[in-house]
Amino acid sequence: MHWPAIQKSPASWKVPPNLLDYGDTVAAFSWDAIRAELQGLPQGRGLNIAHEAVDRHADGPLGERTAIQWLGADGNASAVSYRELKRLTNRFANVLHALGIAKADTVGVLAGRIPELYIAALGTLKHTSVFCPLFSAFGPEPIFQRLSRGDAKILVTSEALFRRKVDVLMDRLPALQNVLLVDADDHRSGRLLSLPRLMAEASEDFVIPPTSPEDIAVLHFTSGTTGMPKGALHVHGAALTHYMTGKFVMDFHADDVFWCTADPGWVTGTSYGIIAPLLHGITNIVDEVDFDAVRWCRILESEKVSVWYTAPTAIRRFMRMGIDPAQAYDLSRLRLVHSVGEPLNPEAVIWGVKALGLPIHDNWWQTETGGIMIANFPSMEIRPGSMGRPLPGIEAAIVERVGENEVRVIEAPDVQGDLALRPGWPSMFRSYLHDEARYQKCFVGGWYLTGDLARRDADGYFWFVGRADDIIKTSGHMVGPFEVESTLMAHPAVAEAGVIGKPDPLIGELVKAFVSLKPGFAPDDALRLELIGFARKRLGSAVAPKEIDFKPDLPKNKAGKIMRRLLKARELGLPEGDLSTLEESR
Ligand code: ATP
Ligand code: MG
């Protein structure tokens, strides 16, 4: 199926994009020039993310600007200026120091999106210990796994989360020196301490120790979509990628108000929900509440959000509910909408034009890459269904494996293969935690293999095909689930689709779709046949699904991604594998 490109005319730009000409910007690009736009620690003591994100603004003309505009679940809101954020993160760094925490020790944070999470994250980076976010909806076992694998010395959490999830783990976590409770007025017995009290006793002056760009800054676990989550280690030098992508993809300008809806428990919520906007000295919106369509529309309007970064799962929920935000709300400040995390169906890009008054810009990256690698830039024509083009400074290619240790770059356009990146960009992960062998295996013949399959068209746009694990081999064809799902999504009844390969003695694998419907549509045989016919007409009988099952909801992980491996395991009656990130309600 083909969706027409969305052209952009300079007349429609509210501000001229930072990246005006793709070819010129790529040709002139150097990481040194990006580094020169950051400040570095005084006296050449290195590069520290928190210095770049907080202190250099706090000590300059942006000091009184709101760094974090926090919106609480109870209706309360608070604004933290860059200057205030510097004082608070200094205090937190001093708290770690007073507790004897050393450089490179891990500090876990298990909290909802409350101000303390952001203070702890940036304070930890200042202190040069390692920030390890834990999604607050994890149950005890995933929390245990991450804290023990990460050798966490400190955990920051709330009384309620501690009682419900961590208390039972304490005996199994001997290396965990202290738990800092964000809402306890006083220290408890044993290892439990009051964070407010420690913060009150700590000095608000702190000198960031020398920080090498290669010092480990963040330990991020992957989303567990394809298996057991892996711990990816990131360094302070990653700030260069965060800054550069903030400039060219998010297109940050001085007065922007930015809202990234991801939770810092996922890499997007840290790289773009904390670091990138603060590196640019703009105002970052943090909403404590999870997806709520009406609340989200109100936030876009009342906070005058100009750049919005969200995910296909949220966009599909708006689509399913039939809500067109721009009709009922004043979104005149909204300039750019971006999406990441899963393939963005063309239908969703087009929905943006109608419902938000703006097309949605898809971009691609993964926990391992630390920042955006391929994107639809604000100045570029959007080809719905495409992830866009590689960032300046990023070399991406479609390759195929030839033998154990070699790959061949596929130069011809429109050929499906492994999506690979040339190693060496600043936010590239430096290892998988306790699994160096697995890390090394990702690098073959001078390329980092991403585990995703894609193709590149003649103009250099990349098109996501599927995860290598999800590819369906049917009658000699390689079918990517994304193409089939996107086609089904184009039918008015379909809210969401997940496609798998089901073993079949005749054709290898049979394409099977699981579909959830929009309200008002009945999951009956007539609709099943109609959908099969609809897909066949557009995809041909070899690629179209042969079986369709209706489901009220598709299984997703807590990051909102459809878990095709679980659809498959359940279909085949196989073990379900690691479910630590599964969204419970599904
Ligand atoms: P795990 O590695 O544990 O299985 P995960 O791969 O979902 O989980 P993340 O690092 O959060 O963990 O997700 C990155 C992956 O998400 C990418 O490799 C890709 O498969 C998918 N993805 C992200 N953005 C896009 C996009 N714009 N289009 C298509 N796929 C995307
Ligand atoms: Mg992955």
Side-chain angles (χ1 to χ4, degrees):
M1 247 177 112
H2 182 72
W3 283 262
I6 298 172
Q7 306 288 343
K8 306 203 192 131
S9 85
S12 67
W13 292 336
K14 291 184 181 157
V15 290
N18 292 326
L19 184 151
L20 268 175
D21 184 283
Y22 180 74
D24 288 354
T25 311
V26 168
F29 181 84
S30 81
W31 286 110
D32 286 346
I34 293 294
R35 172 65 183 81
E37 291 184 40
L38 298 176
Q39 192 174 53
L41 288 171
Q43 290 103 40
R45 282 182 294 121
L47 181 81
N48 182 293
I49 294 175
H51 173 82
E52 302 302 327
V54 182
D55 292 11
R56 80 177 166 122
H57 305 307
D59 298 337
L62 301 179
E64 288 313 312
R65 170 166 297 171
T66 298
I68 294 177
Q69 174 68 41
W70 179 73
L71 309 171
D74 56 5
N76 284 334
S78 65
V80 184
S81 69
Y82 278 94
R83 213 157 279 161
E84 184 62 11
L85 192 58
K86 176 178 177 182
R87 286 193 285 263
L88 290 165
T89 50
N90 279 354
R91 281 182 191 271
F92 188 84
N94 280 318
V95 167
L96 294 182
H97 183 73
L99 292 172
I101 299 306
K103 179 173 184 155
D105 282 349
T106 301
V107 176
V109 181
L110 173 73
R113 289 180 296 281
I114 54 175
E116 289 83 352
L117 161 58
Y118 297 79
I119 293 160
L122 293 158
T124 299
L125 294 173
K126 271 190 172 173
H127 184 259
T128 64
S129 10
V130 176
F131 170 57
C132 175
L134 300 164
F135 189 48
S136 59
F138 281 150
E141 207 47 40
I143 294 169
F144 171 74
Q145 284 295 331
R146 286 163 178 75
L147 290 176
S148 62
R149 279 163 64 194
D151 302 314
K153 289 264 170 53
I154 294 286
L155 175 67
V156 177
T157 192
S158 66
E159 295 234 41
L161 288 169
F162 177 78
R163 227 178 309 114
R164 291 207 325 262
K165 305 177 178 201
V166 185
D167 202 4
V168 293
L169 306 173
M170 290 302 276
D171 290 345
R172 295 163 67 200
L173 292 168
L176 186 63
Q177 182 187 308
N178 291 109
V179 175
L180 312 185
L181 298 169
V182 299
D183 48 358
D185 292 335
D186 248 308
H187 299 330
R188 300 284 153 79
S189 54
R191 296 185 270 169
L192 290 183
L193 301 175
S194 152
L195 182 60
R197 190 164 149 190
L198 293 169
M199 289 283 279
E201 288 163 359
S203 160
E204 59 181 36
D205 296 318
F206 182 80
V207 177
I208 298 179
T211 313
S212 155
E214 283 303 307
D215 283 347
I216 301 294
V218 179
L219 165 59
H220 244 300
F221 286 89
T222 60
S223 303
T225 313
T226 54
M228 187 65 138
K230 297 145 278 187
L233 289 161
H234 288 285
V235 296
H236 278 271
L240 271 68
T241 310
H242 300 143
Y243 178 83
M244 184 272 280
T245 51
K247 179 173 177 173
F248 291 140
V249 183
M250 296 296 140
D251 194 42
F252 290 144
H253 284 70
D255 295 328
D256 272 329
V257 175
F258 176 63
W259 183 23
C260 167
T261 60
D263 188 276
W266 316 112
V267 72
T268 306
T270 297
S271 293
Y272 295 92
I274 307 179
I275 300 171
L278 300 186
L279 287 175
H280 281 263
I282 61 169
T283 295
N284 189 33
I285 303 288
V286 173
D287 183 28
E288 191 184 5
V289 179
D290 290 333
F291 180 86
D292 173 334
V294 171
R295 183 180 169 100
W296 280 26
C297 293
R298 287 205 186 117
I299 291 174
L300 290 172
E301 179 181 75
S302 64
E303 300 304 323
K304 303 184 170 54
V305 173
S306 54
V307 183
W308 191 33
Y309 197 13
T310 190
T313 181
I315 295 162
R316 289 193 302 257
R317 284 171 85 168
F318 273 108
M319 293 167 74
R320 181 181 199 157
M321 293 164 92
I323 295 178
D324 287 2
Q327 296 232 316
Y329 298 86
D330 174 7
L331 303 185
S332 54
R333 297 294 183 100
L334 193 61
R335 189 160 62 77
L336 283 168
V337 183
H338 301 276
S339 164
V340 75
E342 279 192 296
L344 184 68
N345 312 94
E347 220 49 47
V349 179
I350 291 155
W351 173 85
V353 177
K354 175 174 76 82
L356 298 169
L358 296 165
I360 300 171
H361 295 73
D362 187 21
N363 57 67
W364 176 94
W365 58 293
Q366 42 179 210
T367 309
E368 290 86 341
T369 70
I372 300 167
M373 297 284 109
I374 297 176
N376 284 279
F377 299 91
S379 59
M380 265 168 37
E381 141 185 324
I382 294 181
R383 301 188 177 175
S386 162
M387 314 188 283
R389 294 206 265 183
L391 266 290
I394 302 298
E395 194 185 343
I398 304 296
V399 306
E400 77 176 333
R401 274 175 182 272
V402 281
E404 268 289 283
N405 301 316
E406 245 183 279
V407 297
R408 184 180 73 85
V409 175
I410 302 175
E411 304 285 358
D414 301 319
V415 179
Q416 190 170 304
D418 291 292
L419 176 60
L421 301 167
R422 185 74 80 188
W425 70 95
S427 64
M428 187 179 91
F429 69 138
R430 295 301 194 269
S431 190
Y432 278 133
L433 185 70
H434 306 316
D435 202 350
E436 184 61 21
R438 182 166 194 172
Y439 179 72
Q440 292 301 340
K441 266 199 193 150
C442 300
F443 298 88
V444 182
W447 292 91
Y448 163 65
L449 301 184
T450 64
D452 286 343
L453 300 184
R455 60 191 167 79
R456 199 192 58 235
D457 69 20
D459 301 316
Y461 282 71
F462 283 73
W463 300 75
F464 184 77
V465 172
R467 292 163 182 271
D469 295 4
D470 292 336
I471 288 301
I472 304 160
K473 295 167 200 86
T474 181
S475 305
H477 301 278
M478 303 278 272
V479 175
F482 177 48
E483 187 184 13
V484 183
E485 290 161 8
S486 290
T487 299
L488 289 168
M489 289 274 299
H491 188 281
V494 176
E496 246 171 0
V499 168
I500 63 159
K502 179 178 165 182
D504 181 279
L506 283 180
I507 54 172
E509 282 183 308
L510 167 159
V511 179
K512 168 148 194 174
F514 297 86
V515 167
S516 70
L517 297 175
K518 287 187 184 153
F521 291 92
D524 55 23
D525 282 343
L527 182 56
R528 183 175 288 118
L529 285 177
E530 184 180 321
L531 287 176
I532 290 176
F534 179 86
R536 231 176 237 175
K537 210 157 117 197
R538 287 158 181 81
L539 295 167
S541 60
V543 175
K546 295 208 168 19
E547 284 183 20
I548 293 184
D549 270 8
F550 294 114
K551 288 202 168 277
D553 269 310
L554 301 181
K556 302 209 186 79
N557 62 23
K558 289 180 166 65
K561 301 176 192 225
I562 296 171
M563 287 175 88
R564 292 178 193 79
R565 71 168 160 99
L566 197 54
L567 284 170
K568 190 161 180 169
R570 287 177 179 168
E571 173 72 21
L572 305 180
L574 295 172
E576 296 192 342
D578 179 78
L579 295 184
S580 66
T581 64
L582 181 69
E583 181 76 47
E584 269 115 35
S585 59
R586 315 275 163 173

